[in-house]
Amino acid sequence: MRWKAIGLILVLALGLVISGCTQKQTTETETTSPTQEITIYTGGTGGVYFPLGSKYAEILNKNGVPAKAVTSGASVANAKAIGDGTAQAAILQNDVAYYAYNDLYMFEGQAIKNIKGVAALYPETVQFIVRADSDIKTLQDLAGKKVAIGAPGSGTAVAAEQVLRAAGVWDSVEKVNQKFSEASQSLKLGQVDAAVIVSGIPTPSVNQIAVQTPVRVLPIPDEILSKLKEQGYIFYVRQIVPAGTYNGVEEDTPTLAVKAMLAVSADLPEDTVYQMTKILFENVDQLRAVHQKAQLISLETALDGMSIPLHPGAIKYYEEKGLSVPEELKG
């Protein structure tokens, strides 16, 4: 009996040891399991989003956050990719993010509520371009004129409508749906009187026609910006097109801009997005080496034009750095 008792004790002890080892192994596995790889939607290879997004993914990987950047159809496609889970992060315009979150325009009936903001990056300028020899000097002068307003359903077309409605001439403008690559040639040939583009300045496609056909940028005055803000379009910011930006632009011209921004899925953990935000701003010099637009990325302007609620991980980082996060961005 004594030996049976001793044997039973040994078996029980061995079981406890095995159980403890198994539990420890499970815990270690859970603790050291790799973070989910973050797919970042960017844009076409010829734009700004792709090189910046690719470099950001590289920096994230070097700092322990698995990530990859992929090409995409830019802002609208990127918002939809976050909505359906294809992407966990994306670069897109802040106005498009606003429409996606608020069930507006191209997102009507298909709001994307799981899109959250991380940082506003750099301005993309709203440019109403006319030939320098045109007698069109103001937005009101566009009444009765033929204007290329952008591709159907594009962010450019929506911005053109908002600004021209605020100026009181939307209904009297003859609208032409063309991408700016097409509109620039139409403007050069005199087939349209003005063309609208939303892009960082200087915009290469504008420079290309301005070499032989000097251009001007129509001013957008403060009262138009104020009216847009009153209508709830909180994503617009003031922008100046400096003299000399294009051949024919002889003086500083006030206009508006939306902002390129980094957004993520609400499903990402707080700590992951905290790390993503921290890595972004602690390594911004590496982004600046990739593209000149990154010169405008800074912590000080990270909330300027932010159009949707922030992810809690981003809020945590900003508050740690002493930034005051508006209550409306904490929703």
Side-chain angles (χ1 to χ4, degrees), residues 19 24 28 68 129 135 167 204 228 249 267 269 305 315 325:
S19 175
K24 180 180 179 182
E28 288 178 349
K68 66 176 179 180
I129 306 292
D135 60 358
L228 290 167
V249 177
D267 299 330
I315 293 173
V325 178

Side-chain angles (χ1 to χ4, degrees), residues 114-164:
N114 68 325
I115 188 170
K116 296 291 184 180
V118 173
L121 301 176
Y122 60 85
E124 297 194 330
T125 310
V126 179
Q127 304 169 71
F128 284 76
I129 306 292
V130 298
R131 293 169 56 124
D133 59 5
S134 168
D135 60 358
I136 299 171
K137 306 295 184 183
T138 69
L139 292 175
Q140 284 73 24
D141 291 339
L142 291 173
K145 304 295 186 181
K146 187 179 290 187
V147 181
I149 61 169
S154 67
T156 296
V158 173
E161 179 179 351
Q162 290 168 352
V163 172
L164 292 175

Side-chain angles (χ1 to χ4, degrees), residues 101 115-118 306-311 315 328-331:
Y101 188 80
I115 188 170
K116 296 291 184 180
V118 173
M306 179 55 64
S307 57
I308 58 175
L310 292 165
H311 192 286
I315 293 173
E328 62 267 23
L329 297 183
K330 295 181 179 181

Side-chain angles (χ1 to χ4, degrees), residues 283-296:
N283 296 274
V284 71
D285 286 346
Q286 294 184 51
L287 293 175
R288 290 169 180 163
V290 170
H291 199 285
Q292 63 177 0
K293 297 306 298 183
Q295 300 292 331
L296 300 172

